[in-house]
Amino acid sequence: MSQHSVHNPFSQFRKPFTVDEVLAAPPITYPLTLPMCAPLSDGAAAAILCTEEGLRRMGADRSRCIRVAASVMRSFSHRSIDQPQQGAAHLAARQAYEQAGIGPDDVGVAEVHDASATGEIIQVENLGFVPFGEGGAAAERGEFTLGGRLPVNPSGGLESKGHPLGATGLGQLFELTTQLRGEAGGRQVPGVRHAIQENGGGLLGIEEAAVAVTILSR
């Protein structure tokens, strides 16, 4: 979301767009215009994962440590277009919620793969934030913006933050870790205890070839 990226110093594009500007931009493929598609970006990301014993050995500041509550990967599913509930991302999300012992209502912030603007609408439905078919209307109501019911892509998302391909998923987790630490500045979502990430890659049939869903908790 371009309105979110203005608060992210690591974002590739920090200019907010109005709806009229987006619709008037050069077309890519109907109905997508240029600002509705992610750029290819340079970038890198890294994460340090360790056990409780590892934390003790490193003498880490435990107040800044974030727990991986769930991590699920799934391959694409053989489904028809009218079976969204059988999609890989939705099944991975259900499995992740079960692992973490929480549900969609417990999530305070999300980072999802929005290589195009439709991606965010599809994934908020897959993650169970709204019923299938209602993602677009909820987005129009502002439910997924900062200050809304459940902020999505406070980093600016792939379209504004950038899409460095191999580093994209860890970039999402960096944003969620920053949110859970309360260090996100002007884009901070208050009181976050659980955060979810969805990232997909490739295309087989009508969905991603592979999907990862991760839940982080304080």
Side-chain angles (χ1 to χ4, degrees):
M1 292 184 178
S2 63
Q3 290 85 354
H4 293 172
S5 68
V6 298
H7 303 294
N8 185 358
F10 301 113
S11 183
Q12 183 172 353
F13 299 114
R14 300 184 69 186
K15 175 187 181 300
F17 289 92
T18 66
V19 172
D20 288 340
E21 287 175 322
V22 171
L23 295 178
I28 301 300
T29 183
Y30 182 83
L32 303 175
T33 65
L34 184 61
M36 300 170 74
C37 299
L40 293 180
S41 311
D42 292 330
I48 298 174
L49 297 176
C50 62
T51 62
E52 291 282 345
E53 175 59 28
L55 285 177
R56 286 192 289 272
R57 291 205 309 268
M58 290 191 299
D61 181 355
R62 295 185 64 85
S63 68
R64 300 185 72 247
C65 294
I66 301 302
R67 182 170 64 92
V68 179
S71 181
V72 176
M73 289 192 67
R74 292 188 70 104
S75 300
F76 80 107
S77 60
H78 295 282
R79 67 177 178 92
S80 65
I81 194 69
D82 60 352
Q83 293 178 306
Q85 70 280 2
Q86 297 301 318
H90 182 61
L91 295 176
R94 289 178 56 184
Q95 190 175 347
Y97 289 134
E98 184 176 354
Q99 279 187 15
I102 66 171
D105 291 342
D106 299 304
V107 174
V109 63
E111 283 280 318
V112 304
H113 188 109
D114 63 337
S116 69
T118 53
E120 181 177 318
I121 294 173
I122 292 170
Q123 298 309 333
V124 295
E125 296 177 1
N126 280 330
L127 296 178
F129 300 150
V130 291
F132 287 108
E134 298 184 17
E140 283 189 310
R141 291 193 297 268
E143 293 188 22
F144 305 127
T145 60
L146 287 169
R149 174 173 66 88
L150 198 165
V152 175
N153 289 350
S155 66
L158 279 58
E159 295 163 37
S160 295
K161 174 178 63 66
H163 188 7
L165 296 183
T168 292
L170 278 182
Q172 293 174 313
L173 293 174
F174 170 80
E175 173 66 24
L176 296 181
T177 297
T178 302
Q179 290 282 343
L180 287 163
R181 288 173 172 169
E183 299 174 352
R187 67 188 190 281
Q188 179 67 50
V189 180
V192 178
R193 294 183 59 248
H194 305 287
I196 194 167
Q197 171 242 20
E198 176 278 329
N199 190 35
L203 184 68
L204 282 173
I206 58 173
E207 64 182 12
E208 304 95 331
V211 176
V213 175
T214 306
I215 296 175
L216 302 181
S217 299
R218 283 199 60 80

